[in-house]
Amino acid sequence: MKNIRNFCIIAHIDHGKSTLADRLLEFTHTVTDREMQNQLLDDMDLERERGITIKSHAIQMNYEYENQEYILNLIDTPGHVDFSYEVSRSIAACEGALLIVDASQGIEAQTISNLYLALEHDLEIIPVINKIDLPGAEPEVVKDQVMDLLGCADEDVIYASGKEGIGITEILEAIITRIESPEGNPDSPLQAMIFDSEFNSYRGVEVIFRVFNGTLRKGDKVKFVNTGKVYNAEEIGVLKLQNTPKESISAGNVGYLISGIKEASEVKVGDTITHQAKPCQNAIKGFEDVKPMVFAGIYPVDTSEFEELRASMEKLQLNDASLVWEPETSAALGFGFRCGFLGMLHMEIVQERLEREFDMTVITTVPSVEFRAVKTDGTYQEVNAPSEMPEPNTISHIEEPFIKAQIITKSEFIGPVIALCMDKRGVIINQTYLTSDRVELIFELPLSEIVFDFFDKLKTISRGYASLDYELIGYRQSSMVKLDIMLNGEKVDALSAIVHRDKAYDWGKRLCEKLRSLLPRQMFEIAIQAAIGTKVIARESVKALRKNVLAKCYGGDITRKRKLLEKQKKGKKRMRNVGNVEIPQEAFMAVLKLD
């Protein structure tokens, strides 16, 4: 056990985690030259297309140092704030972390946030300054920032370049000498924690776990503590580039388990695995429950595909434990699911993965956050969707979730950044200069304001330099109203939204204008109205397509024409009463792209 090291790589987006992981795999000869490709661990098409890591990936390397063979278990983690749950799970399975900082960008918000996650779990931090070969790199400046942040010594910081392969030997040496070997007793009862899982359509659910105590052997009867299910360990092994079967895996090591589990719901990330015959005394404290930030409805385009969508969601949840969902119905869209996401990027990725991996075409409704309605009798009601909002006469007030946002930017962009946050009803709490030209701004903002396009706008006004990290700080009373959209007098619940009273008129007006351009014209006029309660605050009309009924009247008396026009008018009126409006998918997404 003293020759095992478990570590993960943490950093802000695009600071070179995956590239550095590639170099480590090459250097330790875990992969051959033929198998090598860039971002080797990012095996999803989406990850390669976008150049981001979505899933954390575990892989085992062997390395010889001072005539001793060492086993290094590496977990490469995502950098985006929407996937921070993946990072927290990876950290729980490790004893150390490589903290990577880009030599040209310096320390950013997510660097700090991931660092605190690691420090909470008492991980040994090895600071690495990456991309020192770039023309704009300032390794010395960044080194001072890192030393200030960590309070470490000058010689603890390693210079590296993932692209050029500089500093790889020093990193491997630091992993072996500075990170402690895992603690645990291979002879005590088995205690292992599930930190990931994925679905294999041929072999069932593959469970990825870290053993803390005891030894798991092939063919053992194992029990999952939380679900209470018992399985046979048909195949166990370690995670190389391809899974490598082994006869046993003992304390301190990371491995996978296949036991023909067919039901996705039977595997919970954070659960403890133990022996059925000799169980461990207490379960490992798993992960904290995930707190979704954004809620949206996901519906099948064809209502008959509801059960298929449910199965796809279960399989996706295995691979992405931060996805939370429950069934719901909508008057406009039929049966579907109310899903909780960690942010807008997470929502987009889930929708893409459903389409690519499971061939499910889905309609996504307007994202919203979780409000709290305080009733007149003092009780609370959680409101995840506009349709759940109680009647106005039963509510005393509404509370909305607030976040504390930490924005790090160059000092020249302070003005526009503060203006953006003020526009989003934010309050500035603190402003600190980290260096002469880098500022940290702390804001308190309503979560509903940053859900849609805040991050994009922030990146635009700061030319990509600003970085954002946020955490929930609780609920506060706010003047929120439910804005209904009506088509020909009928409410469309999938387009409703809960907005701040001051912004309701502007929001309703812009939404009606947008819908007018998106709804296809019918044979009858469509009235698009935005209303708060019974009061209509904005209206647009989609004009009817008109058939030329006078084409056959050449000359003759005016009464002939009038008779035909009257008949047409009556027909239009009747059609408007019975006609229903088909709403295209773009219209549901219009709300997101109002600007």
Side-chain angles (χ1 to χ4, degrees):
M1 247 176 78
K2 67 179 198 303
N3 287 7
I4 297 177
R5 300 287 182 275
N6 297 316
F7 69 101
C8 59
I9 303 184
I10 54 177
H12 189 80
I13 313 161
D14 211 18
H15 280 208
K17 293 178 292 297
S18 300
T19 313
L20 200 75
D22 288 351
R23 292 297 86 74
L24 290 171
L25 293 174
E26 262 184 356
F27 198 83
T28 54
H29 305 297
T30 307
V31 290
T32 59
D33 291 344
R34 257 185 69 192
E35 294 168 318
M36 193 59 212
Q37 53 172 339
N38 285 342
Q39 294 174 328
L40 183 72
L41 294 177
D42 294 350
D43 49 13
M44 229 186 286
D45 304 345
L46 263 176
E47 292 181 312
R48 299 195 152 279
E49 279 168 30
R50 293 176 176 236
I52 56 174
T53 305
I54 295 168
K55 279 287 302 153
S56 49
H57 294 271
I59 192 163
Q60 191 177 86
M61 308 181 285
N62 294 54
Y63 183 61
E64 196 173 291
Y65 175 69
E66 293 181 350
N67 300 326
Q68 290 252 20
E69 184 77 25
Y70 285 90
I71 294 174
L72 310 178
N73 289 314
L74 150 77
I75 303 179
D76 179 26
T77 65
H80 198 283
V81 63
D82 280 14
F83 305 115
S84 55
Y85 190 65
E86 288 282 330
V87 183
S88 74
R89 286 165 34 198
S90 309
I91 284 174
C94 294
E95 275 84 30
L98 294 181
L99 178 74
I100 296 186
V101 184
D102 184 330
S104 56
Q105 303 263 5
I107 286 173
E108 299 196 63
Q110 204 56 31
T111 316
I112 299 173
S113 135
N114 286 343
L115 169 69
Y116 286 150
L117 268 180
L119 290 175
E120 273 172 33
H121 286 78
D122 293 336
L123 264 61
E124 175 66 37
I125 308 287
I126 300 175
V128 177
I129 292 176
N130 194 18
K131 305 195 185 183
I132 55 167
D133 56 319
L134 287 183
E138 297 175 331
E140 293 304 321
V141 179
V142 176
K143 185 179 193 173
D144 292 341
Q145 289 179 18
V146 172
M147 281 158 58
D148 280 352
L149 182 67
L150 284 172
C152 60
D154 189 55
E155 60 275 6
D156 290 345
V157 184
I158 301 172
Y159 286 144
S161 161
K163 208 167 191 180
E164 302 293 326
I166 305 167
I168 303 299
T169 342
E170 288 85 342
I171 291 173
L172 286 165
E173 191 178 314
I175 290 166
I176 289 166
T177 52
R178 290 203 242 165
I179 296 176
E180 291 181 7
S181 57
E183 294 170 3
N185 181 358
D187 303 321
S188 57
L190 175 68
Q191 197 184 30
M193 179 180 73
I194 302 175
F195 68 89
D196 206 352
S197 57
E198 56 185 52
F199 191 79
N200 179 328
S201 45
Y202 301 106
R203 313 199 57 184
V205 180
E206 286 181 23
V207 176
I208 297 170
F209 61 89
R210 150 87 199 263
V211 185
F212 284 94
N213 283 307
T215 305
L216 175 62
R217 290 182 179 79
K218 188 177 174 180
D220 283 352
K221 278 260 186 282
V222 291
K223 179 182 171 189
F224 288 11
V225 177
N226 280 355
T227 54
K229 301 273 192 203
V230 176
Y231 304 105
N232 196 13
E234 287 168 19
E235 184 186 310
I236 57 170
V238 292
L239 302 146
K240 291 287 175 75
L241 192 58
Q242 259 68 43
N243 289 351
T244 314
K246 288 265 190 265
E247 286 305 308
S248 70
I249 294 177
S250 56
N253 218 334
V254 173
Y256 70 91
L257 160 77
I258 296 177
S259 54
I261 305 171
K262 295 284 181 287
E263 284 299 314
S265 53
E266 290 176 19
V267 178
K268 293 267 186 293
V269 167
D271 201 349
T272 306
I273 306 177
T274 186
H275 280 130
Q276 186 194 6
K278 202 171 88 174
C280 57
Q281 292 302 309
N282 41 14
I284 301 165
K285 188 180 167 295
F287 312 109
E288 66 282 2
D289 276 343
V290 57
K291 292 188 194 71
M293 296 282 185
V294 179
F295 293 87
I298 286 187
Y299 293 85
V301 171
D302 183 356
T303 39
S304 62
E305 291 177 349
F306 175 71
E307 282 305 323
E308 281 174 55
L309 181 61
R310 180 195 287 273
S312 306
M313 297 283 275
E314 281 183 355
K315 287 173 191 167
L316 187 60
Q317 195 174 22
L318 271 181
N319 204 255
D320 180 357
S322 52
L323 177 65
V324 181
W325 52 273
E326 58 189 40
E328 73 159 5
T329 53
S330 146
L333 299 169
F335 291 104
F337 297 98
R338 187 90 199 145
C339 304
F341 306 97
L342 295 183
M344 292 297 278
L345 176 70
H346 185 207
M347 176 177 140
E348 207 178 306
I349 296 290
V350 166
Q351 198 180 344
E352 279 270 304
R353 286 183 69 183
L354 280 172
E355 289 189 6
R356 291 184 183 204
E357 293 170 30
F358 305 103
D359 240 7
M360 295 295 312
T361 332
V362 292
I363 291 177
T364 318
T365 64
V366 184
S368 70
V369 299
E370 187 177 270
F371 295 96
R372 261 200 209 147
V374 182
K375 303 262 188 94
T376 39
D377 57 4
T379 54
Y380 286 103
Q381 183 180 335
E382 305 285 340
V383 179
N384 283 333
S387 55
E388 294 174 11
M389 187 80 118
E391 288 304 312
N393 54 355
T394 63
I395 305 174
S396 86
H397 63 266
I398 293 175
E399 294 180 350
E400 66 172 330
F402 267 70
I403 56 157
K404 182 169 133 197
Q406 173 197 32
I407 298 171
I408 297 181
T409 179
K410 289 202 164 181
S411 49
E412 61 198 87
F413 305 120
I414 288 184
V417 169
I418 291 179
L420 171 70
C421 293
M422 294 299 185
D423 180 46
K424 299 284 186 188
R425 300 190 283 131
V427 179
I428 188 161
I429 301 297
N430 195 359
Q431 176 177 344
T432 345
Y433 276 82
L434 301 172
T435 62
S436 56
D437 68 336
R438 286 172 73 78
V439 189
E440 179 189 55
L441 301 165
I442 306 281
F443 282 94
E444 285 183 359
L445 289 148
L447 180 61
S448 57
E449 292 285 342
I450 74 155
V451 163
F452 291 120
D453 53 1
F454 181 78
F455 191 62
D456 298 345
K457 283 186 174 170
L458 182 69
K459 283 288 188 197
T460 310
I461 59 178
S462 66
R463 298 216 296 273
Y465 278 113
S467 62
L468 167 77
D469 184 52
Y470 56 84
E471 60 185 62
L472 221 51
I473 52 174
Y475 286 82
R476 296 184 186 170
Q477 186 172 339
S478 208
S479 171
M480 307 302 286
V481 291
K482 179 184 172 193
L483 184 73
D484 287 312
I485 297 295
M486 303 193 292
L487 296 181
N488 279 351
E490 281 186 25
K491 290 182 182 174
V492 182
D493 58 355
L495 286 172
S496 305
I498 298 174
V499 290
H500 195 265
R501 194 177 286 279
D502 298 349
K503 297 192 171 185
Y505 171 71
D506 180 48
W507 178 277
K509 186 166 173 288
R510 291 202 337 246
L511 190 51
C512 287
E513 284 168 5
K514 187 86 180 181
L515 284 172
R516 191 184 77 184
S517 62
L518 286 171
L519 290 179
R521 285 173 72 184
Q522 311 279 352
M523 293 302 286
F524 53 93
E525 187 181 326
I526 306 170
I528 306 167
Q529 293 167 310
I532 298 171
T534 52
K535 185 182 173 200
V536 174
I537 56 169
R539 171 183 167 133
E540 292 286 334
S541 299
V542 178
K543 290 278 176 258
L545 286 168
R546 178 165 170 255
K547 182 179 166 192
N548 186 2
V549 288
L550 304 182
K552 59 187 179 197
C553 293
Y554 53 94
D557 191 19
I558 183 70
T559 49
R560 285 181 62 200
K561 293 182 183 174
R562 195 164 288 150
K563 184 175 144 198
L564 287 168
L565 288 170
E566 284 296 324
K567 191 174 164 191
Q568 183 183 29
K569 196 170 165 187
K570 277 185 193 150
K572 292 271 180 217
K573 198 170 173 184
R574 198 171 81 239
M575 201 189 285
R576 186 177 159 180
N577 291 339
V578 294
N580 59 354
V581 187
E582 287 285 311
I583 306 171
Q585 161 73 14
E586 293 82 62
F588 292 113
M589 301 316 286
V591 190
L592 302 182
K593 305 182 177 71
L594 271 186
D595 295 328

